[in-house]
Amino acid sequence: MDSRPLYHYRFGNAEFDEARFELRVAGLPVDLEQRPLQVLTALLRHPDEVVTREELFETVWAGRPTVDNVLANAVAKLRKALGPEDGSRIVTLPRVGYRLTGPVERAAAGRRLVSRMDLAAGLPVPGCEHFLLEAQLGPSHGSEVWLARHGKTGEARVYKFSGDGERLTSLKREATIYRLLRETLGERDDLVRVIDWNFETAPFYLECEYGGHNLADWAAGDGGLAELPLERRLALFLQIADAVAAAHGVGVLHKDLKPANLLITPRGDGWQIRIADFGSGRLLEPGRLEELGITGLGLTVTQAVSADTSGTLAYLAPELLAGQPPTVKSDLYALGLLLYQLVVGDLRRPLAPGWEQDLPDDLLCEDIAAATDGTPERRLASVDALGERLRRRAERRAERDRLHEAEITRLTAQRLLERNRARRPWIAAAGLLLVAGLGTTLWQFRQAEQARDRAQRETDVAQAVNRFMTDDLIGAANPAVAGNSEVTMKAAARAAIPKIDAEFTVSAPMVQAQLHHAMQELLSRLSDHRGAAEEGRRAIAAYSRLRAPDPLALAEIRIRLAADLADLSRHDEAVAVLEQVRPTLPRLVKQYPKVQVEYWSAWSDVEGDRLRLNKSLAYDRKAWAMVQTLPQAPADLRDGIEFNLSDTLRMLGQYAQSESLLRDLLARRTRRLGAQHAQTYYTMAALGNTLAAAGSVESAMPLLTTAIAGLTKTLGAEHRRTLLAKGVLANTYFLRARFDRAADLYGQVADSLVRKYGGGSTAAISQRLNAAVSTEYAGDALAAEPIYRRALAATRGILDENAPLVQSIRYHMASCLLDLKRPGEAAPLLAGLQVGQLNLSEPEPDWNGRLAFQSGRLALQTGHPRRAVQLLETAEKLIGANEPDGGEISLSLIRDRLQAARIAVAGLTGR
């Protein structure tokens, strides 16, 4: 048996506990993937010695690295986690390996498990000789737990051994409780079966089926918890909750629910969870044992119901620590903590103050809080109640979204009604004047009669508008009226639109035009840009049919229409619409200067969406300069212009200016709107984005997690702004070298944007590209390649080959294909790439060097080593003295390829 000691290492500001496999920097735990930590372990075991690349590949990747740069990526992540000072102690020896320099302190942290019962791997199980002991799994309530296998069939079993009477009690208790569960619930896949026991002669044991790895070990390994999307993690939790609820239903408490007592094994395309170790369990109804004829081994009446604090401290409910007896709600508390840990993907993370910031889903925050309330009376009533809430998340979210949309529609309806009421004083005044003129002359009488008819028609129109808003729009979204709880405000608005023309085309064409205009604004605010664009065109047509069209209304409609078309990536149409506004501006701006601001802002949206950032910035600066001269400009307009300007500055790398504007805007919106308003949260997300892009990732993370939770709560998980904030969080994960999490989140955002705006949305394509790059950086070029293809296919038909986004996709996909040794597919993608266009998509100083490097790789893989040498030497000069292995294309990587090319040339010349 391996008895090698495990150590706690300290070097610089960092500590690494080999027994717990935990890295801390400056006293704080660091969330880092397994591979970089395994590299660190190898370096710490040989301080100030060279550990070769081959040794690291063998130790960490079992001699099977997936892609060329997997080791460099792991070292880059490790350096980043350690920080600039300690990270620099990992020295690269090009083409040889790595060395950890400087002093390293170590102290013993424990040893591999050693049996105290003279048990050893390879020996037969005492009293069950056809099973051979294979490995000690760990202690359990003072017992030793061993994995054993049948000598002939290879069937796995788990044996829990106890050498004395005190520890025997928990084994007896577990056997008794299992019998009760089996007799009342039958055989279940989610409970570990107890097969046999020996309570007569030492060593005493309990024989159980093998249920797989415990959840803690499985989660820490590659391909475990980190690979599962959120919904599959929740599905795992629901398996646990269902099993615990079933046990509660027959009066059994587990009392030690934790990852180590949850076993997981593959099943079909998913995973099966089994609950193990009822050795701390309690019975709420001890009388059931007598009813079922079960002898209460290991249980006395006081043990069955008394208070105690057995179990694992981190998962104990507060009332147990206070001496109160265990209940269903104390098991529920442990499950609430497990739910939190599964959602955040870290089974070691405590439920510390501020834990809500770790969760972008406000409904899950509510569920976890309800399960882990410090006062048991305020907790959910049962585990079943928690499971039901989780299963109804989609319905709960839809219900909240409907309420939010209903509020938007109510405000729009109020605005329309106020417009109609504003005309009524004129009607009343006209009526009084007509009454005053009665009897003067016949002509005056007839004029008064006609005026009353006009007034009545105006009143009828106002009543028709009220009916439209109350019955057709608001009523359609009211489940009590519509008879359908699934109707959303967006659907209700779309259903009400045809009634505008039916009701008002003849009787009130001006009202018809105004209602189409209002519905355009409503749908745009609800992020239904297709519907908003259709309504904008209807409003333009309705206004154009009037004898005297309102030029201000037409300009406002066209400007909003252009913004909606830009969101739909219909850039040519947006430009055409804005060109229609241009001739009317000189007359309008004199009386309505804010129209000029809105016009420039719309142009900025169009140019920014086409990644023409310098043009976008020029329009933003014009709009910002002008809005500051308008003291009566609406606050929303001023804030929107400042926000757009800061975002464009960020994309152009002008981070200090962007941060200054956003901090000013965040403070102003917090004062004006409150800290929990959607616009405040979105500004917070933008500030986090700028900070992350500027390199202040640790400052960005709390802003982003708070912003996403707030946006999800106020706008909904699928709202455009929530999705954009999630995209920013994915960017931050990428900057922290957490590429798996970044890829998963980018992919989720891309899928949501496609559902909302279609596959041609440039925002969705950009997120898909980010997902592909993150997947490749995570070391899985094979999985990244089809994601690149999907992104590239989506650009066809909407963007030309020279568009910056298309050029960026082609470059990254070509690099991926070269990683996969498929140069024939990479060559046409690299052909025709333009540095200027690439720099518009991803501003970088060394695009010429990057293209030379990829072209050199292509030449080397296609059998042109001399050409490869020339190109790679050019890349080496252009990229410059970057930190080795620290960036996408480092000098050490270039030199590796250059050496290979020179060797190939030497082979051709015979030297």
Side-chain angles (χ1 to χ4, degrees):
M1 180 177 297
D2 181 8
S3 60
R4 184 183 62 79
L6 304 175
Y7 293 99
H8 183 98
Y9 296 93
R10 185 190 301 273
F11 55 104
N13 291 319
E15 299 174 68
F16 180 64
D17 190 322
E18 195 175 10
R20 300 176 63 184
F21 218 60
E22 179 183 70
L23 175 65
R24 288 177 173 265
V25 176
L28 299 175
V30 176
D31 186 8
L32 193 60
E33 300 162 22
Q34 291 290 304
R35 299 293 198 200
L37 289 177
Q38 290 169 346
V39 171
L40 177 61
T41 303
L43 295 175
L44 286 169
R45 289 176 184 169
H46 306 280
D48 267 324
E49 298 177 18
V50 176
V51 182
T52 67
R53 294 164 59 90
E54 291 71 21
E55 288 171 333
L56 289 170
F57 282 139
E58 186 62 37
T59 303
V60 180
W61 285 274
R64 297 186 299 275
T66 53
V67 295
D68 286 350
N69 60 346
V70 67
L71 176 55
N73 280 340
V75 173
K77 294 176 188 178
L78 182 56
R79 284 177 173 147
K80 192 176 188 69
L82 292 172
E85 185 175 348
D86 291 329
S88 66
R89 295 178 60 176
I90 302 176
V91 176
T92 304
L93 282 76
R95 299 181 296 279
V96 177
Y98 298 87
R99 182 175 73 235
L100 181 66
T101 63
V104 174
E105 302 173 18
R106 74 177 190 180
R111 288 180 175 268
R112 305 294 179 190
L113 294 169
V114 177
S115 175
R116 291 178 291 178
M117 299 184 191
D118 295 326
L119 302 172
L123 296 179
V125 173
C128 208
E129 283 72 17
H130 45 290
F131 277 89
L132 302 178
L133 296 171
E134 183 173 292
Q136 188 173 355
L137 300 180
S140 175
H141 304 294
S143 306
E144 284 188 18
V145 183
W146 282 78
L147 174 66
R149 292 190 184 275
H150 194 282
K152 293 183 178 179
T153 67
E155 180 184 359
R157 294 278 173 83
V158 172
Y159 288 84
K160 297 182 180 181
F161 294 98
S162 177
D164 55 47
E166 180 181 353
R167 295 167 181 168
L168 176 61
T169 300
S170 68
L171 297 185
K172 290 182 175 181
R173 185 185 303 123
E174 185 170 358
T176 299
I177 290 177
Y178 176 74
R179 288 189 62 195
L180 187 149
L181 291 171
R182 187 187 61 191
E183 293 294 330
T184 53
L185 300 175
E187 296 282 0
R188 292 176 62 101
D189 289 338
D190 50 15
L191 299 175
V192 171
R193 289 187 302 129
V194 175
I195 298 170
D196 200 359
W197 52 80
N198 164 37
F199 298 153
E200 303 299 325
T201 58
F204 312 111
Y205 65 78
L206 199 66
E207 181 183 359
C208 308
E209 71 171 329
Y210 175 66
H213 294 289
N214 73 63
L215 194 63
D217 291 344
W218 172 82
D222 290 342
L225 186 61
E227 301 297 323
L228 287 187
L230 175 61
E231 294 305 321
R232 295 191 67 181
R233 296 181 197 181
L234 294 178
L236 287 183
F237 177 81
L238 286 171
Q239 288 188 47
I240 301 167
D242 289 346
V244 174
H248 287 177
V250 295
V252 173
L253 301 179
H254 189 284
K255 277 195 76 275
D256 196 15
L257 291 166
K258 60 182 180 181
N261 286 337
L262 302 169
L263 307 181
I264 185 166
T265 188
R267 181 172 183 176
D269 294 333
W271 299 92
Q272 174 66 54
I273 293 276
R274 291 180 174 86
I275 297 182
D277 201 347
F278 279 86
S280 293
R282 292 292 183 270
L283 301 182
L284 296 174
E285 303 174 41
R288 281 193 176 227
L289 295 177
E290 186 175 351
E291 294 173 8
L292 295 169
I294 298 173
T295 303
L297 300 175
L299 285 168
T300 66
V301 173
T302 55
Q303 284 176 322
V305 298
S306 65
D308 66 61
T309 56
S310 63
T312 302
L313 186 61
Y315 295 87
L316 286 180
E319 65 270 18
L320 297 182
L321 298 173
Q324 297 180 29
T327 66
V328 165
K329 292 191 174 184
S330 52
D331 270 1
L332 174 63
Y333 180 91
L335 285 178
L337 174 54
L338 274 169
L339 173 59
Y340 165 72
Q341 293 172 330
L342 283 168
V343 170
V344 300
D346 184 353
L347 296 183
R348 298 176 296 177
R349 190 176 302 186
L351 200 69
W355 62 267
E356 299 92 343
Q357 296 184 12
D358 297 335
L359 303 181
D361 188 316
D362 63 305
L363 293 181
L364 288 176
C365 283
E366 293 173 9
D367 297 338
I368 293 167
T372 59
D373 196 295
T375 303
E377 291 76 16
R378 293 201 297 262
R379 253 173 250 155
L380 293 174
S382 67
V383 175
D384 270 333
L386 176 59
E388 177 65 16
R389 287 170 69 114
L390 293 174
R391 288 185 168 94
R392 292 189 63 254
R393 274 173 65 235
E395 299 169 34
R396 292 160 62 201
R397 195 177 307 286
E399 181 180 354
R400 191 197 51 208
D401 289 346
R402 284 195 295 274
L403 293 175
H404 174 68
E405 292 177 349
E407 178 62 14
I408 293 176
T409 303
R410 184 190 67 78
L411 293 173
T412 304
Q414 182 180 351
R415 178 180 171 187
L416 284 168
L417 293 175
E418 287 171 353
R419 287 181 182 175
N420 285 281
R421 292 190 185 112
R423 292 201 301 271
R424 292 184 185 179
W426 176 86
I427 297 169
L432 290 173
L433 289 172
L434 290 168
V435 170
L438 282 175
T440 55
T441 63
L442 179 60
W443 178 85
Q444 290 174 318
F445 175 79
R446 288 173 179 170
Q447 291 300 305
E449 200 170 52
Q450 291 170 3
R452 281 196 298 274
D453 289 343
R454 287 196 299 271
Q456 182 61 50
R457 285 197 299 272
E458 292 284 356
T459 301
D460 291 343
V461 168
Q463 290 174 349
V465 171
N466 290 345
R467 285 196 304 272
F468 171 78
M469 299 304 301
T470 304
D471 299 337
D472 297 334
L473 182 57
I474 299 175
N478 183 347
V481 176
N484 180 2
S485 62
E486 296 302 317
V487 177
T488 65
M489 288 312 305
K490 191 181 298 182
R494 280 181 168 271
I497 284 169
K499 299 180 182 179
I500 296 175
D501 293 338
E503 184 74 33
F504 301 106
T505 301
V506 177
S507 63
M510 174 64 80
V511 173
Q512 175 196 22
Q514 290 173 340
L515 285 175
H516 280 306
H517 186 181
M519 296 301 280
Q520 175 201 24
E521 184 177 344
L522 171 63
L523 291 173
S524 185
R525 289 180 181 276
L526 292 174
S527 297
D528 183 359
H529 299 293
R530 284 193 180 85
E534 292 166 1
E535 274 303 273
R537 295 201 183 280
R538 292 190 187 104
I540 291 170
Y543 271 112
S544 299
R545 286 193 294 268
L546 298 175
R547 290 181 180 176
D550 183 344
L552 175 62
L554 281 169
E556 290 177 336
I557 293 167
R558 286 182 171 124
I559 288 170
R560 183 173 287 276
L561 173 59
D564 285 317
L565 291 170
D567 281 322
L568 294 169
S569 300
R570 290 156 60 179
H571 305 120
D572 292 342
E573 294 178 62
V575 169
V577 169
L578 287 174
E579 290 296 342
Q580 291 178 309
V581 178
R582 188 189 301 275
T584 67
L585 283 176
R587 285 182 294 116
L588 290 173
V589 169
K590 292 179 181 178
Q591 189 174 358
Y592 308 105
K594 78 180 186 71
V595 176
Q596 180 71 75
V597 176
E598 293 169 343
Y599 176 77
W600 280 331
S601 181
W603 267 113
S604 174
D605 287 344
V606 173
E607 298 294 6
D609 203 59
R610 293 196 289 187
L611 295 177
R612 297 175 178 176
L613 298 181
N614 288 318
K615 289 187 176 182
S616 179
L617 179 62
Y619 284 117
D620 282 331
R621 290 197 186 281
K622 287 182 180 181
W624 179 235
M626 186 168 184
V627 79
Q628 293 182 88
T629 68
L630 305 177
Q632 303 303 318
D636 282 347
L637 178 63
R638 176 190 170 91
D639 290 356
I641 299 302
E642 186 173 15
F643 184 95
N644 290 347
L645 174 58
S646 68
D647 198 46
T648 307
L649 287 167
R650 174 193 60 79
M651 289 189 284
L652 286 168
Q654 300 178 36
Y655 303 125
Q657 292 183 55
S658 176
E659 180 183 350
S660 176
L661 289 169
L662 285 169
R663 290 195 183 279
D664 170 70
L665 180 58
L666 181 59
R668 194 165 63 250
R669 280 183 163 172
T670 302
R671 288 193 302 270
R672 183 168 64 86
L673 303 172
Q676 298 182 346
H677 193 279
Q679 291 186 25
T680 306
Y681 285 128
Y682 194 58
T683 309
M684 188 182 299
L687 178 58
N689 193 13
T690 293
L691 291 172
S696 301
V697 177
E698 297 306 321
S699 300
M701 287 296 289
L703 288 173
L704 291 171
T705 51
T706 301
I708 291 171
L711 288 168
T712 303
K713 185 174 183 179
T714 55
L715 299 179
E718 292 286 300
H719 193 277
R720 178 182 175 86
R721 290 193 166 187
T722 308
L723 295 175
L724 292 176
K726 289 179 178 178
V728 173
L729 181 59
N731 294 344
T732 309
Y733 284 140
F734 185 90
L735 292 171
R736 295 180 72 184
R738 296 167 67 178
F739 301 121
D740 290 333
R741 296 192 69 174
D744 182 52
L745 191 51
Y746 279 134
Q748 292 177 32
V749 173
D751 290 342
S752 295
L753 289 170
V754 168
R755 286 194 295 270
K756 289 178 73 68
Y757 306 121
S761 163
T762 53
I765 296 169
S766 295
Q767 296 294 330
R768 190 81 66 200
L769 169 60
N770 292 339
V773 173
S774 300
T775 302
E776 188 175 5
Y777 270 51
D780 196 347
L782 197 61
E785 186 261 346
I787 306 176
Y788 282 124
R789 288 199 183 280
R790 185 176 176 186
L792 187 60
T795 66
R796 300 294 158 77
I798 63 168
L799 298 172
D800 62 44
E801 288 298 309
N802 292 326
L805 180 57
V806 178
Q807 295 257 311
S808 182
I809 296 171
R810 286 171 54 189
Y811 170 83
H812 288 288
M813 185 173 173
S815 176
C816 177
L817 290 167
L818 290 172
D819 284 343
L820 295 171
K821 303 297 188 293
R822 289 155 62 178
E825 297 173 66
L829 295 171
L830 285 174
L833 292 184
Q834 303 170 30
V835 169
Q837 297 300 93
L838 288 166
N839 201 50
L840 284 174
S841 180
E842 301 176 56
E844 294 289 349
D846 57 0
W847 272 113
N848 284 305
R850 290 187 181 197
L851 289 176
F853 174 73
Q854 302 298 356
S855 299
R857 295 176 67 197
L858 177 64
L860 184 60
Q861 291 186 23
T862 53
H864 300 87
R866 290 190 178 87
R867 175 65 175 156
V869 168
Q870 295 173 349
L871 289 165
L872 291 169
E873 286 177 343
T874 300
E876 184 179 25
K877 293 176 183 177
L878 291 172
I879 289 180
N882 291 337
E883 180 184 350
D885 298 305
E888 178 192 348
I889 302 175
S890 65
L891 283 179
S892 64
L893 185 59
I894 296 173
R895 288 164 181 164
D896 279 347
R897 298 298 186 279
L898 189 53
Q899 179 68 14
R902 286 169 176 162
I903 291 172
V905 170
L908 290 176
T909 61
R911 289 182 293 158

